Amino acid sequence: MQSGDLSELFRLLDLTGVFANAILGGLVARQERLDPIGFLTFAVLSGLGGGIVRDVLLQAGPPVALTDYAYLLTALAGAVITYVVNVSGPVWDRVWPVIDAIALGTWAAAGAQKSLAVGIGWLPAILLGTITAVGGGAIRDIVTRRVPTVLGGSTLYATCAIAASGVLVVCTENRYPTVGLVASTVTGAGLCLIARWRGWILPEADAWSAPRRVAAKARLDRARREKIAHALKSKRRNAARRVVRRPPKNREENE
């Protein structure tokens, strides 16, 4: 696959991610019972916020969302659809995680690649790749007065973006940018889907501290003791019932 075809493929995946996350923003606007302007705002924030923040920080020209009309129109289309139709149900619940995972990997790869092309170092490139992938959702959550889901309490998301950006940086530094785009997207999307499937989350603060581990062990030991005591009590009760219900061995015992 030539680099031009790969760029078009990534642009298509990028727009797919914009559309999916714009729909997600519209669903949040529906939950908040907002008006059409609210739907448009949330769709743009969710679908384009991360890329706009990245481009503003890079200071390498206007944000691509403002120069390529396809991005803004795609986000607006997602807002209109969610305003007119309540997009939900089992089909959406199955399709959305896959689209979201692919979008995360694509955005992380695109953000890191664009950052490296500007000439900044590998660490800022990983940071901006992560911001590209998760920034829109974080801004949306802040506007709705929520703690952004990427900050904890949910399955791995920002971690997947960091891993995807890191893969892109490593491959690009070793002069394999095309391979890096594909590998980065696959890494981010695959890790995100596995995290959803397995329920992986990062530990909260003090999760591995000595007091917490001692308390957890004490609770576990207490649960084991209660389980053993319950099993012994059930065993004695069953034995007593067998003795009571045992029939007489002969006629004399019955008399």
Side-chain angles (χ1 to χ4, degrees):
M1 182 179 291
Q2 297 179 355
S3 59
D5 296 334
L6 189 64
S7 298
E8 285 300 317
L9 175 61
F10 265 76
R11 185 172 182 271
L12 177 61
L13 293 175
D14 200 17
L15 290 174
T16 302
V18 170
F19 182 69
N21 281 275
I23 289 179
L24 180 60
L27 292 177
V28 175
R30 180 177 287 275
Q31 293 174 359
E32 298 291 331
R33 305 180 66 85
L34 302 181
D35 61 12
I37 298 300
F39 274 76
L40 295 175
T41 301
F42 272 54
V44 171
L45 288 177
S46 184
L48 302 175
I52 292 176
V53 172
R54 176 205 62 211
D55 292 341
V56 169
L57 292 176
L58 287 176
Q59 298 182 359
V64 66
L66 303 181
T67 58
D68 188 342
Y69 281 15
Y71 284 84
L72 189 57
L73 291 176
T74 300
L76 296 181
V80 172
I81 290 174
T82 51
Y83 182 75
V84 176
V85 181
N86 187 7
V87 181
S88 61
V91 176
W92 170 256
D93 293 338
R94 294 191 188 97
V95 173
W96 155 248
V98 178
I99 298 177
D100 185 41
I102 295 175
L104 178 136
T106 305
W107 286 346
Q113 185 190 48
K114 187 169 184 178
S115 301
L116 290 175
V118 172
I120 65 175
W122 63 270
L123 187 57
I126 293 177
L127 174 63
L128 291 178
T130 304
I131 290 176
T132 304
V134 307
I139 295 173
R140 180 199 64 231
D141 291 341
I142 292 173
V143 172
T144 55
R145 304 177 302 279
R146 304 175 182 174
V147 176
T149 55
V150 297
L151 300 183
S154 59
T155 55
L156 302 183
Y157 199 74
T159 304
C160 304
I162 293 172
S165 302
V167 170
L168 186 283
V169 168
V170 170
C171 292
T172 302
E173 291 295 329
N174 287 277
R175 299 182 181 180
Y176 295 103
T178 303
V179 174
L181 286 173
V182 177
S184 177
T185 301
V186 172
T187 299
L191 186 57
C192 185
L193 289 175
I194 294 174
R196 287 178 183 270
W197 173 48
R198 302 292 297 178
W200 290 344
I201 62 174
L202 294 177
E204 62 181 13
D206 299 329
W208 302 104
S209 64
R212 182 73 62 86
R213 296 182 66 181
V214 170
K217 188 177 185 302
R219 288 194 297 269
L220 181 60
D221 291 342
R222 183 166 55 253
R224 287 176 177 173
R225 289 196 299 270
E226 291 176 354
K227 184 177 181 180
I228 293 173
H230 180 72
L232 291 175
K233 184 182 296 184
S234 298
K235 186 176 180 180
R236 287 194 294 267
R237 188 183 303 114
N238 294 334
R241 289 174 180 173
R242 286 196 296 269
V243 171
V244 171
R245 295 178 181 178
R246 186 173 59 187
K249 293 182 180 180
N250 50 47
R251 188 180 182 87
E252 295 178 355
E253 290 183 1
N254 190 29
E255 296 175 353

